[in-house]
Amino acid sequence: MKVLVVDDNKMERTLISMALKKNQYDIIEAVNGHEALAAINSHDISIVISDWVMPGMDGIELCRKIRLKKNRDGYVYIIMVTARSEKEDFMAGFEAGVDAYLYKPIDIKILDVHIKAGMRIIALEKELVQEKKKVSLYARQMEELARERAEQLVHADRMASLGIMAAGIAHEINNPATFISGNIQTFEKFWSVIMDTLDVTMKKKERFPVGEEQFKRVNFVIEEMPSIISAIKDGTQRIRRIVGGLKSYARQDKPSFALTDINKVVDDALLLCHNTLKNHVKTVIDIAPGLPRIFCDRHQIEQILVNLFNNAAYAMRIRVSGQGLLKISAFKDGESLKLTVEDNGTGLDSETLNKIWDPFYTTKPVGEGTGLGLSISQGIIKNHGGTLTAENSRNGGALFSITLPIGENI
């Protein structure tokens, strides 16, 4: 710690400096106020010991100028040496910024005590400065976080609106799908009548009023039409299943608990995620046979699985160069059913494992995730009397485990 000794009297200045050097202080000397200011500008001075009466610039003026310097990083503790004892003088000094007074003749032990008191004050002031910086940084971070959260809430609100729109869109799609389904069933019945007639006619080729090429075409239509009808029926049924899934997923109703087959929930969730998974993910389902049903809100559990499947698909897309692997397992674990979702994606680092259940926490780029899915999912599972945990799997990806009570043990 540097100590500046300011006195136009060489003998007094030297005596103070020599005494303080013995106590291991780093001493800088100045003969007047101007030299003292120059020293403060060029050195990191912590404590100033100044005589009051000096030519050119006295100690009080020096004190005022030190206090006016706003660009200093730390506090300067000022000890004024004087023989004055009038109250008005003391008040003038304190108003100028003096911290302590030392009477002449100087007692070095008392001076050392003043210096140590100044060191404590300087140390506390540095701590306050650091705390202020931390608070300022924290305030900036909170401001940025608030801005991000506001954007995410807007996004979440849009997603909620999208869910309502999905229900309406699903209804609109369902109408023409029902029309197609009804008509293809009618056509299938008519086709059997047409087939009976054509079958008889085709067997009597000589009576069939067409050429050889047309005969082959008609024969091809007869052979292919059953598979075409079947494909239309399957496609229509798939549309209706997707529409049903969208309507269920967009439901805003209160939880409705019922005994549920976990196989059906998994199948419906995979159907909703078909487009997300089909191109780069191989899905392996390992559900033990004969599992007892669980007492749950099927739509909410489906919502959780859709979220886990989509997260897994994203993690595998950014890590796996070839085909990703999504493994879904379910088995009985005591009085509970355990369902696991495992992928070979990026896995979960320590920060993610610590914050994964926090609302709005996400590792996805802005616009690709709200950070609400897992937080909501955990709340849903808790309301079901179960648990939802996350860890890294042995293959380096993520492993999510859900336990739910069997039957009506909720």
Side-chain angles (χ1 to χ4, degrees):
M1 181 175 288
K2 288 184 171 62
V3 177
L4 176 62
V5 179
V6 188
D7 198 320
D8 61 319
N9 187 307
K10 183 176 181 181
M11 181 177 293
E12 290 188 5
R13 186 177 69 245
T14 303
L15 287 174
I16 294 173
S17 299
M18 290 177 61
L20 294 179
K21 285 178 180 178
K22 291 179 180 179
N23 292 336
Q24 307 302 314
Y25 294 114
D26 187 2
I27 304 301
I28 298 174
E29 296 183 13
V31 300
N32 55 50
H34 295 291
E35 283 192 14
L37 287 176
I40 290 172
N41 288 332
S42 57
H43 298 279
D44 185 19
I45 305 294
S46 299
I47 295 178
V48 173
I49 303 169
S50 176
D51 190 23
W52 186 311
V53 180
M54 295 182 293
M57 182 189 299
D58 64 15
I60 295 300
E61 184 63 22
L62 172 62
C63 186
R64 290 195 185 96
K65 290 186 178 295
I66 292 174
R67 297 300 180 221
L68 288 173
K69 294 181 69 65
K70 302 294 185 182
N71 60 341
R72 286 192 52 81
D73 293 330
Y75 186 75
V76 177
Y77 189 81
I78 301 174
I79 302 170
M80 190 64 65
V81 179
T82 182
R84 300 186 181 192
S85 58
E86 295 296 326
K87 181 175 69 173
E88 290 75 11
D89 292 330
F90 288 154
M91 291 176 61
F94 284 129
E95 288 176 358
V98 173
D99 293 294
Y101 284 99
L102 189 64
Y103 294 107
K104 294 181 179 180
I106 296 175
D107 186 324
I108 296 299
K109 291 182 179 180
I110 295 178
L111 176 59
D112 189 55
V113 169
H114 279 303
I115 292 175
K116 288 177 179 175
M119 291 170 63
R120 289 194 298 271
I121 291 173
I122 290 169
L124 288 172
E125 192 270 343
K126 287 181 178 179
E127 289 181 14
L128 287 173
V129 169
Q130 292 301 317
E131 288 301 318
K132 183 179 178 181
K133 289 180 179 179
K134 289 179 183 179
V135 170
S136 297
L137 176 61
Y138 184 73
R140 290 195 299 272
Q141 290 174 339
M142 289 300 100
E143 184 179 350
E144 179 65 19
L145 186 62
R147 185 189 63 77
E148 291 177 2
R149 294 299 181 261
E151 291 176 356
Q152 289 169 341
L153 283 171
V154 170
H155 182 69
D157 183 64
R158 289 174 180 169
M159 292 300 292
S161 300
L162 185 61
I164 296 171
M165 289 174 59
I169 292 169
H171 177 74
E172 293 300 320
I173 294 174
N174 199 43
N175 288 335
T178 301
F179 177 80
I180 295 170
S181 178
N183 278 279
I184 197 63
Q185 291 179 38
T186 302
F187 179 77
E188 187 176 26
K189 292 177 182 178
F190 288 165
W191 179 250
S192 63
V193 177
I194 295 171
M195 275 294 299
D196 291 341
T197 304
L198 285 175
D199 189 49
V200 173
T201 304
M202 293 294 287
K203 286 179 180 178
K204 298 178 180 181
K205 182 178 178 182
E206 67 282 356
R207 295 175 57 187
F208 197 68
V210 296
E212 182 68 24
E213 187 64 30
Q214 288 180 311
F215 181 85
K216 290 180 180 180
R217 290 178 181 177
V218 171
N219 193 50
F220 174 80
V221 170
I222 292 172
E223 292 176 353
E224 292 297 319
M225 188 56 66
S227 61
I228 292 172
I229 293 173
S230 178
I232 293 173
K233 289 174 67 178
D234 290 344
T236 305
Q237 185 62 28
R238 177 173 171 77
I239 290 171
R240 298 187 70 167
R241 287 175 64 196
I242 292 173
V243 167
L246 280 172
K247 290 172 72 177
S248 297
Y249 191 69
R251 283 178 59 176
Q252 301 295 321
D253 300 340
K254 293 181 179 180
S256 177
F257 289 81
L259 288 173
T260 304
D261 182 1
I262 194 63
N263 287 276
K264 180 68 167 60
V265 179
V266 171
D267 288 344
D268 288 347
L270 285 172
L271 179 65
L272 287 171
C273 298
H274 175 73
N275 284 338
T276 304
L277 301 172
K278 66 180 181 180
N279 292 325
H280 70 285
V281 177
K282 177 183 178 182
T283 303
V284 176
I285 302 176
D286 181 19
I287 297 180
L291 285 177
R293 293 187 295 174
I294 54 175
F295 191 64
C296 69
D297 183 309
R298 180 174 66 83
H299 304 297
Q300 288 190 338
I301 302 303
E302 180 183 306
Q303 174 186 345
I304 292 170
L305 293 179
V306 167
N307 185 62
L308 293 179
F309 296 164
N310 283 331
N311 286 349
Y314 175 82
M316 289 185 283
R317 186 172 72 248
I318 62 176
R319 176 192 177 188
V320 180
S321 56
Q323 190 176 49
L325 178 63
L326 176 66
K327 184 176 181 181
I328 305 159
S329 304
F331 52 91
K332 187 177 179 183
D333 185 17
E335 294 300 314
S336 301
L337 182 142
K338 189 167 187 177
L339 178 66
T340 61
V341 178
E342 181 180 2
D343 64 63
N344 63 339
T346 54
L348 307 168
D349 58 29
S350 57
E351 180 185 1
T352 300
L353 283 171
N354 288 330
K355 297 182 178 180
I356 196 168
W357 311 115
D358 293 349
F360 302 109
Y361 178 76
T362 180
T363 58
K364 295 177 182 177
V366 175
E368 292 196 34
T370 63
L372 291 170
L374 289 176
S375 176
I376 292 173
S377 297
Q378 191 179 54
I380 291 173
I381 294 298
K382 284 183 178 179
N383 289 337
H384 280 71
T387 61
L388 173 59
T389 60
E391 60 186 299
N392 285 305
S393 63
R394 287 178 295 180
N395 62 15
L399 173 63
F400 289 85
S401 301
I402 300 171
T403 61
L404 291 166
I406 291 172
E408 298 188 28
N409 296 326
I410 189 169

PDB file of all heavy atoms in Angstrom, residues 71-92:
ATOM      1  N   ASN A  71     -12.167  10.109 -11.468  1.00  0.00           N
ATOM      2  CA  ASN A  71     -11.705   8.980 -12.276  1.00  0.00           C
ATOM      3  C   ASN A  71     -10.871   7.974 -11.503  1.00  0.00           C
ATOM      4  O   ASN A  71     -10.302   7.056 -12.068  1.00  0.00           O
ATOM      5  CB  ASN A  71     -10.903   9.504 -13.478  1.00  0.00           C
ATOM      6  CG  ASN A  71      -9.678  10.308 -13.052  1.00  0.00           C
ATOM      7  OD1 ASN A  71      -9.615  10.768 -11.917  1.00  0.00           O
ATOM      8  ND2 ASN A  71      -8.745  10.484 -13.988  1.00  0.00           N
ATOM      9  N   ARG A  72     -10.775   8.150 -10.182  1.00  0.00           N
ATOM     10  CA  ARG A  72     -10.009   7.201  -9.385  1.00  0.00           C
ATOM     11  C   ARG A  72     -10.828   5.953  -9.117  1.00  0.00           C
ATOM     12  O   ARG A  72     -12.040   5.982  -8.937  1.00  0.00           O
ATOM     13  CB  ARG A  72      -9.584   7.825  -8.045  1.00  0.00           C
ATOM     14  CG  ARG A  72      -8.465   8.851  -8.157  1.00  0.00           C
ATOM     15  CD  ARG A  72      -7.928   9.181  -6.767  1.00  0.00           C
ATOM     16  NE  ARG A  72      -7.554   7.976  -6.016  1.00  0.00           N
ATOM     17  CZ  ARG A  72      -6.405   7.326  -6.163  1.00  0.00           C
ATOM     18  NH1 ARG A  72      -5.523   7.756  -7.040  1.00  0.00           N
ATOM     19  NH2 ARG A  72      -6.138   6.263  -5.438  1.00  0.00           N
ATOM     20  N   ASP A  73     -10.132   4.804  -9.069  1.00  0.00           N
ATOM     21  CA  ASP A  73     -10.815   3.541  -8.818  1.00  0.00           C
ATOM     22  C   ASP A  73     -11.097   3.324  -7.337  1.00  0.00           C
ATOM     23  O   ASP A  73     -12.095   2.715  -6.974  1.00  0.00           O
ATOM     24  CB  ASP A  73      -9.968   2.369  -9.346  1.00  0.00           C
ATOM     25  CG  ASP A  73      -9.881   2.389 -10.859  1.00  0.00           C
ATOM     26  OD1 ASP A  73     -10.838   2.877 -11.493  1.00  0.00           O
ATOM     27  OD2 ASP A  73      -8.876   1.908 -11.401  1.00  0.00           O
ATOM     28  N   GLY A  74     -10.205   3.812  -6.456  1.00  0.00           N
ATOM     29  CA  GLY A  74     -10.349   3.544  -5.036  1.00  0.00           C
ATOM     30  C   GLY A  74     -10.381   4.811  -4.197  1.00  0.00           C
ATOM     31  O   GLY A  74     -10.123   5.926  -4.677  1.00  0.00           O
ATOM     32  N   TYR A  75     -10.700   4.622  -2.950  1.00  0.00           N
ATOM     33  CA  TYR A  75     -10.800   5.741  -2.012  1.00  0.00           C
ATOM     34  C   TYR A  75      -9.416   6.115  -1.487  1.00  0.00           C
ATOM     35  O   TYR A  75      -8.573   5.249  -1.241  1.00  0.00           O
ATOM     36  CB  TYR A  75     -11.707   5.345  -0.852  1.00  0.00           C
ATOM     37  CG  TYR A  75     -11.996   6.475   0.107  1.00  0.00           C
ATOM     38  CD1 TYR A  75     -12.877   7.482  -0.236  1.00  0.00           C
ATOM     39  CD2 TYR A  75     -11.393   6.511   1.366  1.00  0.00           C
ATOM     40  CE1 TYR A  75     -13.158   8.519   0.651  1.00  0.00           C
ATOM     41  CE2 TYR A  75     -11.665   7.543   2.263  1.00  0.00           C
ATOM     42  CZ  TYR A  75     -12.549   8.539   1.893  1.00  0.00           C
ATOM     43  OH  TYR A  75     -12.816   9.552   2.773  1.00  0.00           O
ATOM     44  N   VAL A  76      -9.189   7.445  -1.308  1.00  0.00           N
ATOM     45  CA  VAL A  76      -7.939   7.950  -0.720  1.00  0.00           C
ATOM     46  C   VAL A  76      -8.255   8.413   0.701  1.00  0.00           C
ATOM     47  O   VAL A  76      -9.087   9.293   0.909  1.00  0.00           O
ATOM     48  CB  VAL A  76      -7.351   9.103  -1.550  1.00  0.00           C
ATOM     49  CG1 VAL A  76      -6.103   9.650  -0.860  1.00  0.00           C
ATOM     50  CG2 VAL A  76      -7.017   8.645  -2.972  1.00  0.00           C
ATOM     51  N   TYR A  77      -7.569   7.826   1.667  1.00  0.00           N
ATOM     52  CA  TYR A  77      -7.763   8.178   3.066  1.00  0.00           C
ATOM     53  C   TYR A  77      -6.787   9.304   3.411  1.00  0.00           C
ATOM     54  O   TYR A  77      -5.563   9.162   3.224  1.00  0.00           O
ATOM     55  CB  TYR A  77      -7.510   6.966   3.958  1.00  0.00           C
ATOM     56  CG  TYR A  77      -7.888   7.156   5.404  1.00  0.00           C
ATOM     57  CD1 TYR A  77      -9.203   7.015   5.830  1.00  0.00           C
ATOM     58  CD2 TYR A  77      -6.914   7.455   6.356  1.00  0.00           C
ATOM     59  CE1 TYR A  77      -9.547   7.179   7.164  1.00  0.00           C
ATOM     60  CE2 TYR A  77      -7.246   7.626   7.693  1.00  0.00           C
ATOM     61  CZ  TYR A  77      -8.559   7.479   8.095  1.00  0.00           C
ATOM     62  OH  TYR A  77      -8.903   7.630   9.420  1.00  0.00           O
ATOM     63  N   ILE A  78      -7.311  10.451   3.898  1.00  0.00           N
ATOM     64  CA  ILE A  78      -6.484  11.649   4.107  1.00  0.00           C
ATOM     65  C   ILE A  78      -6.343  11.939   5.605  1.00  0.00           C
ATOM     66  O   ILE A  78      -7.340  12.092   6.318  1.00  0.00           O
ATOM     67  CB  ILE A  78      -7.082  12.879   3.396  1.00  0.00           C
ATOM     68  CG1 ILE A  78      -7.198  12.592   1.887  1.00  0.00           C
ATOM     69  CG2 ILE A  78      -6.237  14.119   3.648  1.00  0.00           C
ATOM     70  CD1 ILE A  78      -7.913  13.685   1.119  1.00  0.00           C
ATOM     71  N   ILE A  79      -5.087  12.002   6.047  1.00  0.00           N
ATOM     72  CA  ILE A  79      -4.756  12.361   7.441  1.00  0.00           C
ATOM     73  C   ILE A  79      -4.117  13.755   7.410  1.00  0.00           C
ATOM     74  O   ILE A  79      -3.105  13.956   6.733  1.00  0.00           O
ATOM     75  CB  ILE A  79      -3.784  11.352   8.068  1.00  0.00           C
ATOM     76  CG1 ILE A  79      -4.391   9.934   8.019  1.00  0.00           C
ATOM     77  CG2 ILE A  79      -3.437  11.744   9.507  1.00  0.00           C
ATOM     78  CD1 ILE A  79      -3.410   8.833   8.407  1.00  0.00           C
ATOM     79  N   MET A  80      -4.708  14.677   8.115  1.00  0.00           N
ATOM     80  CA  MET A  80      -4.201  16.055   8.133  1.00  0.00           C
ATOM     81  C   MET A  80      -3.361  16.291   9.393  1.00  0.00           C
ATOM     82  O   MET A  80      -3.816  16.039  10.509  1.00  0.00           O
ATOM     83  CB  MET A  80      -5.364  17.057   8.101  1.00  0.00           C
ATOM     84  CG  MET A  80      -4.934  18.507   7.882  1.00  0.00           C
ATOM     85  SD  MET A  80      -4.159  18.775   6.256  1.00  0.00           S
ATOM     86  CE  MET A  80      -5.556  18.437   5.170  1.00  0.00           C
ATOM     87  N   VAL A  81      -2.111  16.763   9.179  1.00  0.00           N
ATOM     88  CA  VAL A  81      -1.183  17.067  10.288  1.00  0.00           C
ATOM     89  C   VAL A  81      -1.257  18.564  10.573  1.00  0.00           C
ATOM     90  O   VAL A  81      -1.092  19.388   9.655  1.00  0.00           O
ATOM     91  CB  VAL A  81       0.255  16.662   9.926  1.00  0.00           C
ATOM     92  CG1 VAL A  81       1.202  17.008  11.084  1.00  0.00           C
ATOM     93  CG2 VAL A  81       0.327  15.177   9.590  1.00  0.00           C
ATOM     94  N   THR A  82      -1.526  18.929  11.804  1.00  0.00           N
ATOM     95  CA  THR A  82      -1.701  20.349  12.130  1.00  0.00           C
ATOM     96  C   THR A  82      -1.442  20.611  13.615  1.00  0.00           C
ATOM     97  O   THR A  82      -1.492  19.692  14.432  1.00  0.00           O
ATOM     98  CB  THR A  82      -3.135  20.805  11.782  1.00  0.00           C
ATOM     99  OG1 THR A  82      -3.242  22.194  12.063  1.00  0.00           O
ATOM    100  CG2 THR A  82      -4.167  20.042  12.607  1.00  0.00           C
ATOM    101  N   ALA A  83      -1.202  21.885  13.881  1.00  0.00           N
ATOM    102  CA  ALA A  83      -1.096  22.324  15.278  1.00  0.00           C
ATOM    103  C   ALA A  83      -2.346  23.090  15.678  1.00  0.00           C
ATOM    104  O   ALA A  83      -2.460  23.547  16.817  1.00  0.00           O
ATOM    105  CB  ALA A  83       0.150  23.195  15.452  1.00  0.00           C
ATOM    106  N   ARG A  84      -3.285  23.232  14.749  1.00  0.00           N
ATOM    107  CA  ARG A  84      -4.493  23.988  15.021  1.00  0.00           C
ATOM    108  C   ARG A  84      -5.452  23.169  15.894  1.00  0.00           C
ATOM    109  O   ARG A  84      -5.498  21.940  15.814  1.00  0.00           O
ATOM    110  CB  ARG A  84      -5.196  24.352  13.714  1.00  0.00           C
ATOM    111  CG  ARG A  84      -4.326  25.202  12.796  1.00  0.00           C
ATOM    112  CD  ARG A  84      -5.089  25.663  11.574  1.00  0.00           C
ATOM    113  NE  ARG A  84      -4.257  26.456  10.701  1.00  0.00           N
ATOM    114  CZ  ARG A  84      -4.699  27.187   9.682  1.00  0.00           C
ATOM    115  NH1 ARG A  84      -6.005  27.219   9.434  1.00  0.00           N
ATOM    116  NH2 ARG A  84      -3.875  27.877   8.927  1.00  0.00           N
ATOM    117  N   SER A  85      -6.266  23.899  16.665  1.00  0.00           N
ATOM    118  CA  SER A  85      -7.181  23.203  17.568  1.00  0.00           C
ATOM    119  C   SER A  85      -8.556  23.862  17.619  1.00  0.00           C
ATOM    120  O   SER A  85      -9.411  23.446  18.396  1.00  0.00           O
ATOM    121  CB  SER A  85      -6.604  23.167  18.978  1.00  0.00           C
ATOM    122  OG  SER A  85      -6.367  24.491  19.456  1.00  0.00           O
ATOM    123  N   GLU A  86      -8.777  24.887  16.752  1.00  0.00           N
ATOM    124  CA  GLU A  86     -10.061  25.568  16.755  1.00  0.00           C
ATOM    125  C   GLU A  86     -11.138  24.694  16.085  1.00  0.00           C
ATOM    126  O   GLU A  86     -10.881  24.000  15.089  1.00  0.00           O
ATOM    127  CB  GLU A  86      -9.953  26.903  16.003  1.00  0.00           C
ATOM    128  CG  GLU A  86      -9.030  27.910  16.664  1.00  0.00           C
ATOM    129  CD  GLU A  86      -9.528  28.337  18.036  1.00  0.00           C
ATOM    130  OE1 GLU A  86     -10.780  28.409  18.207  1.00  0.00           O
ATOM    131  OE2 GLU A  86      -8.697  28.583  18.919  1.00  0.00           O
ATOM    132  N   LYS A  87     -12.343  24.755  16.633  1.00  0.00           N
ATOM    133  CA  LYS A  87     -13.451  23.955  16.108  1.00  0.00           C
ATOM    134  C   LYS A  87     -13.756  24.307  14.661  1.00  0.00           C
ATOM    135  O   LYS A  87     -14.042  23.442  13.835  1.00  0.00           O
ATOM    136  CB  LYS A  87     -14.693  24.170  16.979  1.00  0.00           C
ATOM    137  CG  LYS A  87     -15.889  23.345  16.523  1.00  0.00           C
ATOM    138  CD  LYS A  87     -17.061  23.483  17.487  1.00  0.00           C
ATOM    139  CE  LYS A  87     -17.653  24.879  17.422  1.00  0.00           C
ATOM    140  NZ  LYS A  87     -18.888  24.987  18.230  1.00  0.00           N
ATOM    141  N   GLU A  88     -13.669  25.619  14.334  1.00  0.00           N
ATOM    142  CA  GLU A  88     -13.963  26.060  12.973  1.00  0.00           C
ATOM    143  C   GLU A  88     -12.988  25.441  11.971  1.00  0.00           C
ATOM    144  O   GLU A  88     -13.349  25.101  10.834  1.00  0.00           O
ATOM    145  CB  GLU A  88     -13.927  27.577  12.868  1.00  0.00           C
ATOM    146  CG  GLU A  88     -15.067  28.301  13.573  1.00  0.00           C
ATOM    147  CD  GLU A  88     -14.891  28.319  15.088  1.00  0.00           C
ATOM    148  OE1 GLU A  88     -13.789  27.954  15.563  1.00  0.00           O
ATOM    149  OE2 GLU A  88     -15.867  28.666  15.792  1.00  0.00           O
ATOM    150  N   ASP A  89     -11.712  25.304  12.394  1.00  0.00           N
ATOM    151  CA  ASP A  89     -10.705  24.710  11.526  1.00  0.00           C
ATOM    152  C   ASP A  89     -11.033  23.232  11.262  1.00  0.00           C
ATOM    153  O   ASP A  89     -10.927  22.729  10.130  1.00  0.00           O
ATOM    154  CB  ASP A  89      -9.319  24.824  12.142  1.00  0.00           C
ATOM    155  CG  ASP A  89      -8.835  26.271  12.203  1.00  0.00           C
ATOM    156  OD1 ASP A  89      -9.245  27.053  11.319  1.00  0.00           O
ATOM    157  OD2 ASP A  89      -8.077  26.608  13.128  1.00  0.00           O
ATOM    158  N   PHE A  90     -11.412  22.516  12.319  1.00  0.00           N
ATOM    159  CA  PHE A  90     -11.762  21.099  12.174  1.00  0.00           C
ATOM    160  C   PHE A  90     -12.951  20.938  11.214  1.00  0.00           C
ATOM    161  O   PHE A  90     -12.954  20.073  10.330  1.00  0.00           O
ATOM    162  CB  PHE A  90     -12.101  20.480  13.525  1.00  0.00           C
ATOM    163  CG  PHE A  90     -10.915  20.275  14.406  1.00  0.00           C
ATOM    164  CD1 PHE A  90     -11.068  20.243  15.794  1.00  0.00           C
ATOM    165  CD2 PHE A  90      -9.639  20.099  13.883  1.00  0.00           C
ATOM    166  CE1 PHE A  90      -9.970  20.052  16.620  1.00  0.00           C
ATOM    167  CE2 PHE A  90      -8.551  19.912  14.701  1.00  0.00           C
ATOM    168  CZ  PHE A  90      -8.706  19.891  16.085  1.00  0.00           C
ATOM    169  N   MET A  91     -13.950  21.816  11.400  1.00  0.00           N
ATOM    170  CA  MET A  91     -15.139  21.719  10.560  1.00  0.00           C
ATOM    171  C   MET A  91     -14.798  21.999   9.100  1.00  0.00           C
ATOM    172  O   MET A  91     -15.282  21.305   8.193  1.00  0.00           O
ATOM    173  CB  MET A  91     -16.200  22.705  11.038  1.00  0.00           C
ATOM    174  CG  MET A  91     -16.795  22.316  12.392  1.00  0.00           C
ATOM    175  SD  MET A  91     -17.985  23.540  13.013  1.00  0.00           S
ATOM    176  CE  MET A  91     -19.211  23.509  11.720  1.00  0.00           C
ATOM    177  N   ALA A  92     -13.931  22.969   8.866  1.00  0.00           N
ATOM    178  CA  ALA A  92     -13.512  23.283   7.495  1.00  0.00           C
ATOM    179  C   ALA A  92     -12.778  22.107   6.871  1.00  0.00           C
ATOM    180  O   ALA A  92     -12.959  21.777   5.689  1.00  0.00           O
ATOM    181  CB  ALA A  92     -12.624  24.533   7.492  1.00  0.00           C
TER     182      ALA A  92
END
